[in-house]
Amino acid sequence: MTNVRFLLIFSLLMLTMCSSPSPNPDAGATAESKRITLASARAVVPGKTTTTGLALLLGPPSSIRQLEDGNRKIWTYLRKDDPATRRMYALVIHDSGLVKSVTWNVFEGEPETDVEYAKKALGSPRFERSEPKWTKGDTAPDEVYFFSKEARITIVLRKTLNQVDMIVWN
Amino acid sequence: MHFGRIDSKTASRPHGGFLGKYHPTGHWTPEEIERAFEALSNLPDALMLPSVQGIYRMHRSRDFPNPATSAPGVIVLYDSAFDGKRNISRILGHELAHQVFRDLSTRDFESYRTAVNWVNVGEDGQPPIWIARNKGSFVEEDGFSVPAEDFANNVEYFLFDRNTLRRVTGNADAWIAGHFGPKFKLSGDDK
């Protein structure tokens, strides 16, 4: 019963954040003052979360970069403890104002570097393993994808280090 | 690191097998080994990685006239690498940079991608694809395809044509200088 109540409250909260802006105790926080976790980033739902919702959930980005086609932007959140790297970034469609894809970077020392841990942390949907084909270029690809079609999540593993590099959902 | 040819032992590895399947095997001549040793001696120590187990010799790339190929722990030089005009130091520097990229910590891997604006994004429920910065900021056209190629090109230009790298991809020049430090230069290059 407690779980059902929690889910209801959580769903209502998400619905509010994804559709229309509302007062939020963290709304004034900057990216630097707010710690972004994988769990908080997972609240960003591509196709539903707007840029307003994104800013409410995670604070304003460290930077916004427009891509060459003019209609896509990258909202970047740098790591608080290492601003030379990105904690995460989101691909945003300018016309709709909707997030299209979220990329979460994984670093040494984080449990998600282990692919089995990462799968569990993402709710253990069914993942299919694949490797990009070496079709061109003078070097072999070093990535392995664990892709869940149902959850629209990809875990990207670096083969050489056997470590998860990033988690992307769209 | 040793000089070898793709044999049954090498071919039993995944990428060795790939190379053996698509590229006809070749033999080192004593002169070629000497040239390769000399070429390696010009390169900075930071590129002499223990993870590169061997440099192999094959006849012709699937992407002829491509002079060399790299896979984890393996570098292959083709006949075209030994054409008179080719700079073998430069070819090996590029291929060794591929291995450096594979060996980077996840932190350094990401800091490079951040510095030169690579993003990996999902598209319509498919595995992610790389989106690069604008095409004009690549020293070689093939760098536009994936960060690994971009990195190897930039390391190569840092060592062999730094003015071009500074002009075209200044962020990459700064990252490489910061990552490798002041000793990262060709032997005898005191610039």
Side-chain angles (χ1 to χ4, degrees):
Chain A
M1 191 62 191
T2 309
N3 283 346
V4 173
R5 191 179 300 148
F6 172 78
L7 279 173
L8 272 172
I9 293 169
F10 183 74
S11 303
L12 282 170
L13 185 66
M14 288 307 304
L15 197 62
T16 309
M17 287 183 164
C18 293
S19 52
S20 59
S22 64
N24 180 315
D26 288 331
T30 66
E32 286 71 28
S33 66
K34 197 165 182 171
R35 181 174 167 78
I36 301 172
T37 62
L38 177 58
S40 60
R42 288 286 290 144
V44 180
V45 182
K48 290 184 180 173
T49 303
T50 62
T51 49
T52 308
L54 183 58
L56 284 170
L57 283 165
L58 305 178
S62 312
S63 68
I64 299 174
R65 177 165 70 99
Q66 186 158 324
L67 298 181
E68 270 196 316
D69 61 16
N71 193 35
R72 297 186 298 175
K73 291 181 176 177
I74 300 292
W75 280 41
T76 298
Y77 292 85
L78 298 175
R79 281 172 79 191
K80 185 182 172 187
D81 57 343
D82 183 4
T85 60
R86 298 165 293 195
R87 177 70 279 182
M88 60 163 284
Y89 47 88
L91 175 68
V92 170
I93 305 301
H94 180 70
D95 286 349
S96 65
L98 288 170
V99 172
K100 183 160 186 185
S101 165
V102 179
T103 303
W104 176 263
N105 287 312
V106 179
F107 297 94
E108 284 92 355
E110 295 178 340
E112 291 84 9
T113 52
D114 177 74
V115 68
E116 295 307 321
Y117 184 96
K119 286 178 184 175
K120 283 180 190 162
L122 295 165
S124 300
R126 197 167 66 87
F127 283 97
E128 286 190 11
R129 186 184 192 281
S130 67
E131 294 187 27
K133 286 183 181 171
W134 185 7
T135 54
K136 59 181 180 179
D138 68 335
T139 191
D142 195 37
E143 294 121 343
V144 178
Y145 298 134
F146 294 87
F147 176 54
S148 168
K149 200 168 184 177
E150 52 173 320
R152 301 169 75 95
I153 301 173
T154 305
I155 299 171
V156 183
L157 179 83
R158 288 176 65 193
K159 206 161 31 175
T160 298
L161 299 188
N162 193 29
Q163 283 186 4
V164 172
D165 178 30
M166 58 178 68
I167 299 167
V168 182
W169 60 96
N170 66 95
Chain B
M1 194 182 296
H2 78 282
F3 295 93
R5 61 191 292 264
I6 298 291
D7 52 21
S8 57
K9 188 180 168 190
T10 314
S12 66
R13 283 187 258 150
H15 294 302
F18 174 90
L19 292 165
K21 185 175 175 185
Y22 290 101
H23 309 273
T25 58
H27 299 275
W28 288 100
T29 66
E31 186 199 358
E32 286 170 354
I33 289 179
E34 195 176 326
R35 286 181 67 188
F37 265 126
E38 190 183 341
L40 285 170
S41 71
N42 290 331
L43 295 172
D45 290 344
L47 292 180
M48 300 301 126
L49 303 167
S51 50
V52 176
Q53 295 158 16
I55 301 177
Y56 297 88
R57 185 72 176 81
M58 301 182 99
H59 281 308
R60 184 183 169 101
S61 166
R62 190 179 55 167
D63 301 318
F64 180 80
N66 171 36
T69 298
S70 146
V74 175
I75 289 173
V76 170
L77 293 178
Y78 302 107
D79 291 353
S80 54
F82 295 95
D83 288 351
K85 292 175 186 172
R86 296 276 195 173
N87 181 335
I88 299 177
S89 278
R90 189 165 180 157
I91 293 167
L92 286 171
H94 177 102
E95 299 306 327
L96 288 163
H98 278 307
Q99 189 65 37
V100 170
F101 196 61
R102 278 189 280 269
D103 291 349
L104 285 178
S105 68
T106 53
R107 188 268 166 200
D108 289 346
F109 204 60
E110 169 55 17
S111 78
Y112 176 76
R113 296 182 307 211
T114 302
V116 297
N117 280 328
W118 278 99
V119 291
N120 203 12
V121 299
E123 288 276 357
D124 301 324
Q126 298 296 315
I129 57 164
W130 286 108
I131 298 178
R133 57 193 186 275
N134 66 73
K135 273 189 174 172
S137 63
F138 286 85
V139 289
E140 294 279 350
E141 197 175 323
D142 63 355
F144 194 70
S145 57
V146 284
E149 204 56 55
D150 176 44
F151 180 85
N153 287 340
N154 290 335
V155 169
E156 174 193 331
Y157 272 73
F158 185 93
L159 293 172
F160 292 91
D161 187 358
R162 192 166 177 189
N163 286 339
T164 299
L165 181 64
R166 280 184 176 133
R167 190 181 73 250
V168 177
T169 322
N171 287 355
D173 180 78
W175 189 94
I176 292 166
H179 179 77
F180 291 106
K183 290 184 178 173
F184 194 68
K185 54 190 174 187
L186 299 174
S187 70
D189 186 356
D190 294 323
K191 282 185 283 185

